[in-house]
Amino acid sequence: MLNLLLLHMDDAIKQFLFSNMKQDFVPFPVDKSICTGWAEGEKKGGETILYTGCMYQLAPLSAIFNRVSRVVSRVSSPQSILRMAKRVHPEKRELERSYKILRNISSILRKNGVNFGYLFEDEPYSGAFLLELGMLDEFEEYARLVKDKLLSMGVKRIITVDPHSQNALSRYSEFFTFDIEVVSYLDLVKDIVKSSKKGTYVIHDSCLYSRFMNKRDVYRSILEKGGISVKEDYMVTSRENSLCCGGPLAPINESLSSEIGKYRATQLKGVSDKVIVQCPFCYMNLSPYVETYDIAEVISCE
């Protein structure tokens, strides 16, 4: 998959992405207030931080920026595209949904006795996009910038909220010494009250959480503690062998990505008409075709 992506991305697009990350520490050229709007009342900074990577907030814009990146290679002034892109905002409904998820994660952690701060506009993107496109030299260069930024703010522990950030930050140590602890919020959730969202759900496993981080049973246990009924079918929910949502293909073939998402949604609907995901991009690729919820929308400590 990574080699296929690289073959279909020219140098202009790669540099468009990479330059923006190095300049603004966000994956796309956007108004940073989009990333921080959820966090009113959160403590700023500290040794332990809740890290969003702006993933939930920007996921609704991923399809738009996939198209923008393809335009960059065909224009004489990429900076004009950058300026236009900074005026793009997610739909209010989608942005408010992402904020609600992040606020719920924050609340769950605090009620589980976890103390943390948030970096607000100083939070740097993890570089996951570079890693997943196989741009390893660029990923290492960018990751060193992120490391320096985090250390300058005294960060010693990062609590991630999505699989892509967890994977990218955890892999910094493959390139250089990275002494900051990286942990998923899912691993810190012990106490959950019963969910108010009734019904039976089927789980769509995040490829990263399931195949590479072995967290399949972690979020299944959380759902069980919350009294949430989950239906399994080995032919569909075979965990590490489950079908991908198709989202990673979107940068080079949006149509095929959507077809895969539709096919996966049809599979899942054969088990239950309600789907639980753990990744903002899985949500975006599946939700047009099946009733989909993030795990942080169906669990609560309230």
Side-chain angles (χ1 to χ4, degrees):
M1 176 67 78
L2 293 178
N3 288 336
L4 183 62
L5 284 166
L6 286 171
L7 285 172
H8 287 78
M9 293 186 71
D10 66 19
D11 288 339
I13 297 175
K14 293 176 188 177
Q15 291 308 311
F16 167 75
L17 296 169
F18 186 42
S19 296
N20 190 74
M21 288 182 206
K22 288 194 296 181
Q23 177 179 320
D24 293 332
F25 287 97
V26 286
F28 304 123
V30 295
D31 180 347
K32 279 194 172 183
S33 66
I34 292 173
C35 300
T36 62
W38 70 275
E40 183 178 355
E42 294 289 338
K43 182 182 79 171
K44 184 166 184 178
E47 292 187 355
T48 297
I49 60 165
L50 182 63
Y51 179 88
T52 76
C54 208
M55 298 295 268
Y56 276 96
Q57 303 93 309
L58 291 183
L61 290 179
S62 58
I64 294 173
F65 281 108
N66 286 336
R67 294 170 201 149
V68 167
S69 66
R70 289 193 288 270
V71 171
V72 169
S73 62
R74 301 196 295 270
V75 299
S76 58
S77 177
Q79 290 303 315
S80 64
I81 301 295
L82 288 172
R83 286 191 292 272
M84 286 189 294
K86 286 192 175 183
R87 294 197 292 269
V88 177
H89 285 253
E91 291 184 9
K92 183 177 180 180
R93 177 179 60 85
E94 290 290 356
L95 191 58
E96 283 301 319
R97 175 185 169 271
S98 75
Y99 287 176
K100 186 175 180 180
I101 287 172
L102 295 173
R103 289 170 186 147
N104 197 35
I105 291 172
S106 174
S107 176
I108 288 170
L109 288 172
R110 294 198 188 283
K111 290 180 180 180
N112 274 266
V114 183
N115 295 314
F116 56 85
Y118 174 58
L119 296 180
F120 288 84
E121 67 281 353
D122 290 325
E123 180 186 73
Y125 173 61
S126 68
F129 202 73
L130 299 171
L131 175 65
E132 292 164 19
L133 288 176
M135 298 167 63
L136 300 185
D137 290 340
E138 291 87 347
F139 176 71
E140 179 180 357
E141 181 181 343
Y142 177 75
R144 289 182 182 277
L145 295 177
V146 173
K147 173 189 173 181
D148 291 344
K149 187 175 180 69
L150 293 172
L151 289 176
S152 72
M153 292 183 286
V155 175
K156 295 183 179 179
R157 190 188 198 205
I158 299 169
I159 303 171
T160 64
V161 299
D162 74 276
H164 295 272
S165 297
Q166 176 72 23
N167 179 56
L169 292 166
S170 296
R171 293 185 63 182
Y172 281 12
S173 58
E174 296 177 17
F175 298 84
F176 48 79
T177 300
F178 187 65
D179 294 328
I180 299 174
E181 180 186 2
V182 181
V183 60
S184 168
Y185 86 95
L186 295 169
D187 290 314
L188 303 177
V189 176
K190 308 302 178 186
D191 295 322
I192 290 292
V193 300
K194 290 184 180 294
S195 171
S196 61
K197 294 187 179 293
K198 305 298 182 182
T200 299
Y201 297 81
V202 59
I203 295 174
H204 170 76
D205 287 292
S206 150
C207 292
L208 289 171
Y209 274 160
S210 180
R211 300 181 189 185
F212 301 103
M213 299 180 219
N214 198 28
K215 294 193 183 301
R216 299 179 297 275
D217 292 330
V218 173
Y219 45 81
R220 281 173 169 81
S221 175
I222 291 172
L223 293 169
E224 182 180 359
K225 288 177 182 177
I228 297 164
S229 177
V230 173
K231 188 175 181 181
E232 303 271 11
D233 180 333
Y234 183 76
M235 296 303 291
V236 177
T237 60
S238 52
R239 303 190 181 196
E240 69 271 21
N241 295 318
S242 293
L243 186 68
C244 176
C245 72
L249 191 60
I252 62 165
N253 194 323
E254 189 176 353
S255 176
L256 182 56
S257 173
S258 296
E259 287 181 25
I260 294 172
K262 186 175 182 179
Y263 178 77
R264 179 57 175 163
T266 301
Q267 281 189 323
L268 294 163
K269 281 194 287 188
V271 181
S272 177
D273 59 0
K274 295 181 179 180
V275 177
I276 290 177
V277 298
Q278 320 85 45
C279 170
F281 297 100
C282 290
Y283 174 85
M284 294 308 302
N285 227 43
L286 294 174
S287 59
Y289 312 110
V290 63
E291 188 175 344
T292 308
Y293 299 90
D294 190 270
I295 186 172
E297 292 178 292
V298 298
I299 60 173
S300 175
C301 283
E302 298 178 356

